[in-house]
Amino acid sequence: MTLNGIVAFVLVFGTIVLVHELGHFLVAKAVGVMVRDFSIGFGPALVRWRRRGTYYSLRLLPLGGFVRLEGMENPAESPPGDQGEPPLAPSDPRRFTNRPMWQRVLTIAAGPAMNFVLAGVLLAYFFVPPVVQGIEPGGPAAVAGIEPGDRIVRIGDLRTPTGARVQRAVLTAPEGARLPVWIERDGRIRQVVVEVARQDGRGYIGIRMGGARPWPQALYGGFVQMLDSTGDIVRIIARMLGGREPVQVAGPVGIFSMVQEAAQQGPANLIGLAAILNINLGLINLLPLPVLDGGWLLFMGIEWVRRRPLEPQLQSLAQMVGLMLLIGLMLLATYFDLLRG
């Protein structure tokens, strides 16, 4: 454990949680839900002020933050504010449970959505245009007629708006596969066929990509990469649940180790890891487990089907069970972290 590792962990993990809570906060404010508290950090408040009914605070432990929405913690009643403000009436439209269903869904979904957005922004840093900058003489691409300056727009059925998509299509192709490749040259689209070779056990065609990276294009590419990475993670989880791949989970200890190692390897590695952690947190929060955002979406789905909310006692019981399951999963992940040592 180093000082740089601690600072990197606080920066990465704190930003992930803060952006997540900011999503809930912004949408709640936009749709008229009363936000009791918006805090940066946890623990005792160092600075605290009130503006338009919301308390904002900077707290001692800079590991993210939290937001408290009126009516979410106890839908059956509305306690007074912590500074003696009068409670809201049960029918007050500023209570979360009194807002239209679509507004509540947006408020809850905004947290994970912000993590995916941040991941896309971070991955824009790695965007490489699908433009051929260099080509290996006599390599598969050269034999097929690809030239420097060509933009690869599609490989088979896969559109390739980013160099990462091109790399994905080539690396996973079997040796000897004949890939139809559409290239743009001098404003015209033409098709060539490239026979994939093998290098270090992976597909290889002998090109190097690069070029100018205007920020709108880089941002678009970052979001394309975010969607690709999200799909990869979902498929890995499905294989683990199906027993086709060993279960690999990381708890706080494991995440800290990964962040510390990435920080030692340089800013690019830390940015890449932060993007993947944002995607993972977004997916985890969408799980239909009470106390997570996915659990709230599940409650609202049940309400939509039943045409009435779930009874507060059942909701509280489900959240208690969900909390116990979540704690159990965290302990299990920490156990695996310690085994990996």
Side-chain angles (χ1 to χ4, degrees):
M1 183 179 296
T2 64
L3 179 59
N4 287 342
I6 294 173
V7 171
F9 180 77
V10 169
L11 180 63
V12 170
F13 193 76
T15 302
I16 290 172
V17 178
L18 179 59
V19 165
H20 180 96
E21 298 300 336
L22 185 62
H24 294 313
F25 169 81
L26 291 176
V27 176
K29 282 285 191 179
V31 301
V33 175
M34 173 176 273
V35 181
R36 286 287 191 182
D37 287 282
F38 180 74
S39 173
I40 299 176
F42 296 95
L46 302 176
V47 181
R48 195 164 191 255
W49 68 97
R50 190 182 187 213
R51 178 179 171 81
R52 296 181 181 178
T54 300
Y55 283 98
Y56 299 87
S57 58
L58 297 173
R59 297 178 179 263
L60 182 62
L61 301 176
L63 289 176
F66 65 88
V67 61
R68 187 160 64 94
L69 306 182
E70 179 66 35
M72 280 194 69
E73 293 183 355
N74 191 344
E77 60 184 50
S78 183
D82 60 0
Q83 297 296 317
E85 303 91 342
L88 297 182
S91 60
D92 194 301
R94 292 173 294 172
R95 287 172 55 82
F96 176 78
T97 48
N98 292 336
R99 302 308 300 171
M101 175 73 74
W102 68 270
Q103 293 183 357
R104 286 182 280 152
V105 169
L106 283 181
T107 301
I108 296 301
M114 283 291 281
N115 289 122
F116 291 117
V117 169
L118 179 57
V121 172
L122 293 174
L123 289 171
Y125 175 82
F126 301 97
F127 170 72
V128 174
V131 177
V132 178
Q133 292 293 103
I135 192 163
E136 178 186 293
V143 171
I146 294 177
E147 300 176 0
D150 289 345
R151 175 179 291 271
I152 300 176
V153 296
R154 200 171 82 194
I155 297 180
D157 296 327
L158 181 68
R159 289 181 61 252
T160 54
T162 68
R165 278 271 183 96
V166 175
Q167 186 180 46
R168 172 191 294 265
V170 171
L171 291 179
T172 57
E175 183 176 8
R178 294 176 58 82
L179 293 180
V181 179
W182 282 263
I183 60 174
E184 180 182 355
R185 181 188 300 166
D186 299 326
R188 299 179 59 187
I189 304 295
R190 64 188 69 191
Q191 180 188 354
V192 299
V193 177
V194 182
E195 184 171 338
V196 179
R198 214 70 177 164
Q199 187 177 75
D200 299 327
R202 299 183 296 181
Y204 171 77
I205 61 174
I207 61 172
R208 176 175 55 83
M209 292 172 292
R213 305 194 314 162
W215 72 263
Q217 188 179 4
L219 194 59
Y220 172 72
F223 277 86
V224 169
Q225 184 59 41
M226 180 271 291
L227 292 174
D228 288 344
S229 298
T230 301
D232 290 340
I233 294 171
V234 170
R235 284 187 285 272
I236 291 172
I237 293 173
R239 288 198 296 269
M240 288 193 297
L241 292 176
R244 290 172 291 166
E245 191 165 314
V247 176
Q248 297 180 356
V249 293
V253 176
I255 293 173
F256 179 85
S257 298
M258 287 188 288
V259 171
Q260 181 172 247
E261 183 178 349
Q264 292 171 348
Q265 294 171 348
N269 293 78
L270 193 60
I271 292 171
L273 178 61
I276 296 303
L277 290 176
N278 268 283
I279 294 172
N280 276 276
L281 182 66
L283 289 173
I284 289 171
N285 266 282
L286 289 175
L287 293 175
L289 186 66
V291 310
L292 295 178
D293 294 330
W296 284 102
L297 295 175
L298 175 62
F299 288 152
M300 285 184 275
I302 294 172
E303 177 183 343
W304 182 77
V305 171
R306 301 174 74 218
R307 304 299 180 187
R308 66 180 189 276
L310 194 65
E311 287 72 14
Q313 297 84 353
L314 289 177
Q315 184 171 315
S316 297
L317 177 61
Q319 288 177 321
M320 183 181 299
V321 173
L323 180 60
M324 293 173 63
L325 287 173
L326 190 61
I327 292 174
L329 289 173
M330 289 293 292
L331 292 174
L332 181 63
T334 303
Y335 171 73
F336 281 117
D337 289 343
L338 296 175
L339 282 184
R340 286 190 290 266

